[in-house]
Every structure is written in structure tokens, then in C-alpha cells.
Amino acid sequence: MQTAARLWKWLLIVAVVLLACAAVYVSYELYRHQRILETSIRYNVAWSVSQSVTEFLRLQQVIYQAALDGEDSEASLRFDICVNRVSLLRAGEVARFVSSDPVLTGVVDRFEQRLRQIEPLIETIADPKNARQALDILEPGTADLIRLSAASNVYSAGLAAEGQADLIEMHWLFTTFVGVLIVLGVILIIVLVRRMTELGSTKHRLEESAQELRLALVQADAAGKAKARFLATMSHEVRTPMNAVLGLAGALLDEQLPPRQREVVETIRTSGDNLLRILNDILDFSKLDADCMTLEDAPFSPAALTREAVSLLAPRAAMKNLTVSADADADVAPMLMGDAGRIRQILLNLISNAVKFTEIGHVSVKLRQIERAGGTTGENATIEWIVRDTGIGIPQDRIGGLFGEFMQADATISQRYGGTGLGLAISKRLVLQMKGAIWVESNPGEGAVFRVRLTLPVADPPPVVVADGRDATRQFQEALSVMGRPLRILFAEDNPTNQFVIRQLLKGFAVNLDMVADGTEAVESASSFLYDLICMDMRMPDLDGPGAARAIRAMGGRLAKIPIIAITANAFPEDVKTCLDSGMNHFVAKPVNRDTLLLAILDVLDMSRVNEPVPINQPIPVDTGNTSPMVDPDAFAELLEALGEDGIGEMLTVFVAEMERRLAFLAVGTDDRELLIREIHSTKGAAGTIGAARLCELAAAIELRLKAGETWRPDDRTTLADAFHAYIGDPLVSPHMSAPVS
Amino acid sequence: MLNRRFVLMGLALLSGRGALAALPAPSGKKVLSITGRIGAPNQGTNAVFDMAMLESLGLVTLRTTTPWFTGEVVFEGVPMTTLMDAIGASGEKLMVFALNDYTTEIPMADFAKYKPILAVKRDGRYMPVSDKGPLFIVYPFDSSAELKSQKFYSRSAWQIARMEVV
């Protein structure tokens, strides 16, 4: 196909060149011919000679007439005309003919001689004697001239033949040219038709391929989206239970535990942490693989980031008696634009590897600036992190594959040191996505030097506070003591376990925590109570976090500015953006640990300055409820009358069962204020219905107190239980009891 | 080249003059008689010229090669347009008759287009009958390749004695 196409192409070129040559040649021939026609004067020689013969004969005729009649009509004129003919035979084209043959020249010479001989006789030609004498001289010349005429005819015919030959030559030239033209035209048409056919089929094939590609693209796109969705779901589904496990383990560790149990719980937590890290690694890697990784672009301090990363791993290094140092050159740009979280992840990976593979010595992290240059879009800085250790080193033949997937320098390494082996692969991909470079220099036994080089835009240095290693618990407690009252938090979380975890995390602080299970409830509660801040899960049935946040913001007034913290397992940057767009102020990724949560709360409180004293709207009733009788006799009598003996018995049974269940519930205790308030509210209602006046009054008082933000006191249950038992033991009531109370 | 310019100048100067002046009667030997559709006859319905009358119309020079002489020849004569103007010719063509009974037919358009002359002298001398005289219609053959053809050679009549405007 290719060869044929080339052949045709060359054929076409040759054809066109030939055509051009032929055209030039024909043009030249035409020009030459025209020149010939112009220069050669094709005078009709035969005609001229025959005219001479005619005039010669007419002269003889005139003289003959004179000989007969003795009259000279026009002899003189005819003589002159004949003389003229002689000069014509001696000039121009005719002369050329005449001089071509000596015989012909002789004929013309004799013609002239005869005319000269008779010239003296012309004046007196009327004399018949003279006329006869002239005729005698002239007559022999007739045959001479006729011979000349015949020769001129041959000569003219020769000239004509020559012209004809020329014409024939031209004819052939043109015929050849036209033939060549036709052949070339045919070749041209064939080539064009072939090319068009080829183009047509190529176009058709291309269209088919394009259609296939489009289909493949749509399918790939759909597959990619499905994968991304699956990742998001995985992220949520995996992290949520892990969050619960880790949170509860943490809460357990806060309790007083026997040493053996503490050890077990610590193992649970450590293993959980490891598992979560591995899950995060795999998730990151999948995201990078699916091109789902979106890098943030925000200002950060590279020096602070370096120190932070090192300080995070310092405890681990300290446990192995390693020294860790962080050093940033002074000339490094103070602020750069980039994804600080991902850079931290890379550094943490490199530093933790260094710590992991170093038994004796030190790990040092150095940050330096290679170059800082202005570009078209602003200033860029090229910076380099050097993570150096004195560890076991890496064999030369393993360095190449070190950054590959699931790659570890030695299969035995994973047994000795653990890990997914994805850390460096993830780091490499992250660095590449940031258009940077990561490489390593190492020899076995001589430690390793990892370098990460990134070129990032220089950011204006705003006073950005970088997260520091502050003592969250202490700060939180200080903040609460400054406030001088419990912090009122509304927490929207649908998962009961997570609710429990959150309660555990905030246990021990002066916090009034109201827990609701969905967004609608969160919006309702936010509008009915004065909260200091709201924490909201991203995903909830009914109304999700962002939706609820928007609804709360829309209510205006105090709620327009109330701090809202988003809490979610969806750690994608898009989710963060969704949260912030919906009016939330902060973002805490799951698994939530106590420090993260407390720091987030501290941050938003600083932001909204709610630590200023807030006036309390209604006085909280202190301790009422000892005023009503145990049983309201009127109410009980009414009930008895309405229901009858059987009815009241049945009702008392239901009430007792409900109260027993409730008291059991209260004995276990709950931090779900809403639930508690509901339970107390139900107690109040049921007690009022059945005439348990004291119980009703006590429940009402507790409910009021709870709703005002006060805490549930363990003796509240005792109070309620006592009132309940007093009611069923009352002489008015006990006879109607159908079953003994356990 | 120079000659041709001279020819053109002569034409420009003389054109129209013949039409204005009335033709006098010939006093010398008649050399040319023109019959047919003419507006200024001087003898019956004919215009008759002696040599002096022709020369008084104004002579121009024409240098050209011809099939009948070797090399270039210089002719002097009256431009045919001047002659036609002088007799007030109003025909389509001119029939030319020679002493030897040669006859040819020239479209009137030829005269303005190719500017032939009615030559009276060749190389400064009057032409006798024995040498294509006395009158000879000569085209400027060298001015155009078109003129070097049998068609114009046949229109170049010599030994002219009579013309007829038709």
C-alpha cells in the first residue's frame, strides 16, 4: 500500500515534469516556425513566371498584328511590360529560383537579349518589315520561356512540398504532444481517483476508529467514575468503623484499667492505627492510580512543615535512642503555594522509613533552596529536602525498583519492619504529580540519602499559623475555665457508635453535649437552644451536613455566625470544599481523635470569640419536686372511674414495665441529652397521666434543668426511682397492682 | 523606425487637406483615372490625375523589403488614405487595374490599418512601365509579419493605370 502510493506519487511527478518539458518544446517549435514564416517570403514564383510568358506572348501578338495591319496599337506599352518582367525575373524570390539552375539563367539572359534586339524596331513597328524582323527574333524564345514556366512549377511544387513537410512535422509534433497530454491526463485522473478512493476508505476507517475511541472513552470514563465512587464509599465505609474502634480504644485507655487489660487495649489501638495507615496507603495509591488525586494549592511554610514532620516522628525516634534533627536554610522562601498535607505525607514517609531502618545514629532532615526565579506567572522557588540516615542502607541493585509498587528492598524486610511497601510508590507519584523529583543515594551499611525536589510558586507571606504541637487538652481546659461555664455543643451524628465515641472523647470536660441523629434535628435544635458551636457529620440520612449547615446559616442572626465543624470520613479535598462552601468553618477528618477535635473546637472558638460571657436567658431551677403528694388522689380516682378495676390494673402493669425499663436505662446512663430529655419527658407525661404527682413534678424539674443545659446527675435517677417506688407502694395504688414489682 | 515616424507625421499633416481642396483639372499626361463612388470628380464622374497632381497631395517615404527586389528599397508616394480623401471615396473596396490587365481588389479598411502608399518613385527615381511604373501600391511589409503573405503581395499591384471605388 505504502509502496504503491509512493510509486503513484513519483509517476505523477514524472508525468508533470514530462508535460512541462513537452510544453516548452512545442512552444519553442511554434516560435521557430513563426520565425521561418516571417523571414522566408514565399512569393508565388510560378505565377510570376507564367505572367512573363503571357506578356511575352502578348508582345508577339501585338507585333504580329502590326505585321498584318501595319498598325501599332500598343507595342511600346507591351514592350515596356516585358522589359519589366525581365527585371522581375532577376530580383527577389524569382531570382533565387532562376539562379538555382544555369539553364534557367540562360533562358532569362536570352529573353533579355531578344528584347534588346527588337528595342530599335519598336518605334517603327508599324512597318510590317520591321514587325516581321522582330517576330523572327522573338519567336524562338517562346519555347525557352515555356520551359522556364515548367521549371518554376516544379520549383513552386518543391517549395510547397517543403512547407507541407514542415506542416506534417508540426502536425506530428502536435499529435505527439496531445498524445502525451492525454496519457498524462489519464495518469492524473487515475492517480486522483485512486487517492480519492484511498482517502475515502481512510476517512471511513478513521471515522470507525474515532467512533470506537469515543465509545471506549465513554466506557473508560464511566469506569473511572465508578472507581472514584467506589473509592469514596470505601473511604467512608472503612474509616467509619475504624474510627469507632480507635476512638473506643482511646476512651478505654482513659479509664482506670488493670495492667493486663490496658496492654490488650493498647495493642488493639496500635494494630488499629497500623491497619488504618495501611488502608490510607492503599486508598492513596488507588486514588493516584485512578488519577483521582486532587492536589490542593494553598500557602504554607516549608520550614514549619519540615519541623512539624520531624517533631511528629521525634517520639518514635526517641524510643529507639536515635537523634532526629530538622534544619531549614534561612534563604528558603518563607511561604510557598502547594499541597502541604501531601508534602507532609511524603516527608513523614521518608522520615519514618529512615527511623524504621536505622538502629544506631541519627536521622537528619535538611531543607534548602536551589533556585528562586521569576517566571511569566510569578516567582517560583525550587527547594530540596534531604532526609539522611545512618541506617542499613539499600543495595545498589534494589535502588532502581525502590519507588515501584509494593516494592521493598528485600522480601525479608517486610517481615522485619512491616509496612505495605506502598509508601515510596505513593511518595514518588505524589512528587511526580507535583512535577518534582525524588531520588535516593545509598550503599548497604552506609545509610541512605533521600532527596525530594519541588518547584513551587512563591506565595505572599501572610501570617498563617501553622499547626503546632500544642497540648490540646490543657488548652481546651484553659479555654473552658476562661469561659466559666460548660461549653454547649450540638453534635449531629447518625451512627450510634460514633455518637458514643464522641461522648467518650469529650467526657471529663465541662461540656454540655447534645447529640442529634440527622440534619433536620440539627437544624431544629440549633434554632431552639443557645449553642456555642455545632459539629456535623457530612453524611447523614434525611439532610446531610452541608445541607443542614446551609439551613442553619440561612436562619440568620446568631446562627449566621455560629461555628460549625464538619466531621467526616470523606477525606477528599472536594469534600472539604463542599463543607466550606456550605458555610462550615472547620473540617475534621475521621478517625477523630481527641486532640484533633479539641484543636478544631479551639480554632473555631478563637475565630468566633464565643469565650466572651454569654448571658443566660432563663434561671435554672435548682432543686424542686418535694412539694407534691406522692399520689394525686383526685386524679387517681378519676382514672379508676374511667378505666375500671381491670383497666387500671393493666395500665399500672404497662407503666411499671416502662418505668423499670427506663430506670434500668438511666442506671446505665447516657450522654444523649436528647434521648435523656425524651425519656424524662415521657416519664413526666406518664406520671401525670397515672396520677403520680411527685414523680411527674420531679421529672418536669429535671427536664427543665436538662433543657437549660445543665448536666444529668446520677442522683436524678435515684430521685426518680424513689418517687416511682413510693408511688407503687402507696396504699392508694398498691391494691390495684396485678403483679408484684421485682 | 525614423521613416515610419515620418510617415505617420506626414499622414497627420496631410489628412483632410485633399478633401477640402477641390481637384483641379489635369494639365500634364494622365497617369491615373479613378472611377466609381467618388465625391470629387474633375472629369465627368471620374477623378483624373497627372503626376504633378499626385505629388501635390504630399509624398511620404516608405522603406521596406519586398519579394520583388533584393534588399531594402525606398519608395516615395501618396498615402492611400490621402488619395481616397482627395477624391472623396465612399466605397467598401478599391478595384485596381494594371496596364498588363492584372486586377486586384483592396478593402478600403486596409489603407487606415496598414498604411500602404501609392508609390511614384523608387530609390529617388520615377518608375517607368518597364520597371513596375508608373504607379505601384506598396505595403510597409516590414512593419508586420501579417503583411508578409501572398494576400498582401497580391494586393501590391504595379503598372497601375486605373482604379474603381466600389
Side-chain angles (χ1 to χ4, degrees), chain A residues 676-729:
Chain A
L676 195 62
I677 290 169
R678 270 208 305 273
E679 290 293 333
I680 303 300
H681 186 81
S682 304
T683 308
K684 184 184 79 176
T689 310
I690 213 156
R694 176 72 63 84
L695 183 60
C696 177
E697 204 171 44
L698 286 169
I702 293 168
E703 185 191 2
L704 199 61
R705 217 184 61 226
L706 288 173
K707 279 188 175 173
E710 285 205 11
T711 44
W712 167 257
R713 294 195 298 257
D715 63 334
D716 285 342
R717 185 210 167 255
T718 322
T719 311
L720 292 175
D722 286 352
F724 168 65
H725 287 295
Y727 171 77
I728 55 174

Side-chain angles (χ1 to χ4, degrees), chain A residues 237-252:
Chain A
E237 297 302 328
V238 172
R239 289 180 196 218
T240 300
M242 278 310 295
N243 178 33
V245 170
L246 292 176
L248 287 174
L252 260 182

Side-chain angles (χ1 to χ4, degrees), chain A residues 651-665 678-679 681-687 724:
Chain A
M651 186 175 162
L652 280 170
T653 310
V654 171
F655 176 66
V656 166
E658 184 192 329
M659 278 310 289
E660 280 179 345
R661 184 196 59 76
R662 193 164 289 147
L663 287 171
F665 167 76
R678 270 208 305 273
E679 290 293 333
H681 186 81
S682 304
T683 308
K684 184 184 79 176
F724 168 65

Side-chain angles (χ1 to χ4, degrees), chain A residues 37-38 41-44 47 51 55 58 77-78 80-81 83-85 87-88 90-94, chain B residues 65-70 99-102 128-133 145 148-150 153-154 158-159:
Chain A
L37 280 172
E38 267 180 33
I41 298 155
R42 292 286 153 83
Y43 185 68
N44 197 335
W47 163 257
Q51 283 293 99
E55 289 304 329
R58 285 180 82 172
L77 177 66
R78 290 293 146 200
D80 282 351
I81 290 170
V83 171
N84 186 37
R85 295 309 322 183
S87 66
L88 278 166
R90 292 191 182 283
E93 180 84 13
V94 186
Chain B
T65 56
T66 65
W68 316 286
F69 303 101
T70 307
L99 292 171
N100 63 349
D101 299 330
Y102 177 80
V129 173
S130 58
D131 191 10
K132 303 183 188 68
K148 291 182 180 176
S149 70
Q150 199 58 50
Y153 296 148
S154 71
W158 57 69
Q159 295 172 338

Side-chain angles (χ1 to χ4, degrees), chain A residues 306-382:
Chain A
T306 311
R307 280 195 295 275
E308 181 196 333
V310 170
S311 69
L312 271 170
L313 289 163
R316 203 189 294 176
M319 286 197 318
K320 292 177 77 176
N321 287 322
L322 299 173
T323 56
V324 186
S325 64
D327 177 30
D329 282 353
D331 65 338
V332 174
M335 293 302 292
L336 294 174
M337 293 294 289
D339 192 331
R342 290 302 176 185
I343 296 171
R344 185 189 294 114
Q345 184 180 350
I346 296 162
L347 287 179
L348 286 176
N349 177 254
L350 295 181
I351 301 168
S352 67
N353 277 347
V355 171
K356 195 191 283 182
F357 296 111
T358 306
E359 297 304 330
I360 301 160
H362 61 267
V363 173
S364 74
V365 182
K366 180 167 172 62
L367 171 64
R368 64 192 187 110
Q369 184 161 292
I370 307 287
E371 191 186 13
R372 183 165 169 171
T376 48
T377 53
E379 208 179 5
N380 286 322
T382 303

